[in-house]
Amino acid sequence: MKVLVPVKRVVDYNVKVRVKSDGSGVDIANVKMSMNPFDEIAMEEATRLKEAGKVTEIVAVTCGVTQAQETLRTGMAIGADRGILVETDAAIEPLAVAKVLKALADKEQPQLIILGKQAIDDDSNQTGQMLAALLGWPQATFASKVVLEDGKVTVTREVDGGLETVALSLPAIVTTDLRLNEPRYVTLPNIMKAKKKPLETIKPEDLGVDVTPRLKTIKVAEPAKRSAGVKVPDVATLVAKLRTEAKVI
């Protein structure tokens, strides 16, 4: 069984992002970049399925600039067998990513696609759902447990009211949530092995996909800074301030 795992290169979650002085976007110059944490969970889950003998091959895929090869190498150090970079300098949007992944799925014919539920930079939470619609495959989002057996994937997913368990026939798409697993620490020997694994670079045009952005960013601004709090002597004063100053009651 072949599993496709899309991964994204994002600003590391430990980095405090800064907005460019002209408000055109986020400044990523000289900023540490890493694999999107949700995608790292997806790669870990695919690797565990392979170690359990359920999966025979894991293919890591990413869309982006040349430097995104580092993200693919990280994925291969975790457990992917090979990587595919769809190289583009465009600000690629979720629908464009879904179209690229659809073309790759048609080419690679995976039985399962596992990806993070969202990226921590744009928080769109759209790519997995769009890909399922384009492929016409069943999907299970926000997975906290994945069981693969008898030609089906059973997914426990987190919903507002608690947990929901769904069974999907393959091929299928699963998007991962935080509680699915804890990704392993990537060791130096595995990093060295990953350098020798095959990495293919193609262009979106090779797949017949137009990744031209459909949206235009007008301005990016930092959130307003919180004003200092004040102490009040009693509840009556608090209610008065909420009514007259904050105007929330």
Side-chain angles (χ1 to χ4, degrees):
M1 176 183 289
K2 182 188 293 186
V3 175
L4 199 68
V5 183
V7 296
K8 185 177 184 181
R9 178 177 182 260
V10 299
V11 175
D12 189 88
Y13 69 92
N14 288 311
V15 174
K16 180 175 173 54
V17 295
R18 301 186 306 274
V19 175
K20 292 180 180 178
S21 57
D22 60 0
S24 61
V26 173
D27 186 6
I28 60 172
N30 302 316
V31 170
K32 181 184 178 183
M33 308 292 284
S34 61
M35 184 187 296
N36 176 47
F38 290 101
D39 296 335
E40 195 173 1
I41 291 169
M43 184 62 71
E44 173 67 24
E45 190 64 22
T47 302
R48 292 186 185 189
L49 290 172
K50 184 181 178 183
E51 290 172 346
K54 307 287 186 180
V55 170
T56 55
E57 184 182 21
I58 302 171
V59 183
V61 181
T62 193
C63 305
V65 295
T66 306
Q67 292 88 333
Q69 290 185 17
E70 300 169 7
T71 307
L72 287 176
R73 293 294 181 193
T74 301
M76 288 187 274
I78 294 173
D81 298 288
R82 56 189 174 94
I84 302 174
L85 168 63
V86 182
E87 189 176 7
T88 176
D89 292 327
I92 193 162
E93 296 168 355
L95 180 58
V97 175
K99 289 179 177 179
V100 167
L101 294 176
K102 195 266 183 186
L104 285 173
D106 291 339
K107 176 184 175 184
E108 294 287 336
Q109 294 294 307
Q111 285 72 53
L112 184 64
I113 299 178
I114 307 178
L115 65 161
K117 70 171 185 177
Q118 65 194 71
I120 62 172
D121 51 2
D122 57 19
D123 275 335
S124 292
N125 184 18
Q126 295 174 342
T127 304
Q129 293 88 329
M130 288 177 170
L131 178 58
L134 291 172
L135 287 170
W137 290 8
Q139 63 175 313
T141 55
F142 316 132
S144 60
K145 183 179 180 181
V146 175
V147 178
L148 188 62
E149 59 186 1
D150 300 327
K152 288 185 177 182
V153 56
T154 303
V155 178
T156 301
R157 55 190 302 269
E158 300 188 353
V159 295
D160 291 341
L163 298 176
E164 177 185 56
T165 301
V166 295
L168 311 177
S169 56
L170 299 176
I173 292 173
V174 175
T175 70
T176 61
D177 212 333
L178 283 174
R179 279 158 289 279
L180 178 58
N181 61 52
E182 184 174 344
R184 68 193 65 192
Y185 179 76
V186 179
T187 61
L188 183 58
N190 285 335
I191 292 174
M192 300 307 294
K193 289 177 184 176
K195 292 181 179 181
K196 298 180 181 179
K197 292 182 179 180
L199 194 158
E200 179 185 2
T201 301
I202 57 178
K203 299 286 186 181
E205 306 85 69
D206 301 334
L207 300 171
V209 178
D210 179 15
V211 297
T212 304
R214 266 63 170 178
L215 302 176
K216 180 180 179 182
T217 301
I218 305 300
K219 183 180 180 182
V220 177
E222 291 187 12
K225 292 184 178 179
R226 293 181 62 181
S227 56
V230 295
K231 290 183 178 181
V232 292
D234 50 46
V235 174
T237 307
L238 173 62
V239 172
K241 285 184 174 291
L242 290 174
R243 181 176 290 121
T244 59
E245 296 181 15
K247 297 186 183 338
V248 295
I249 60 174

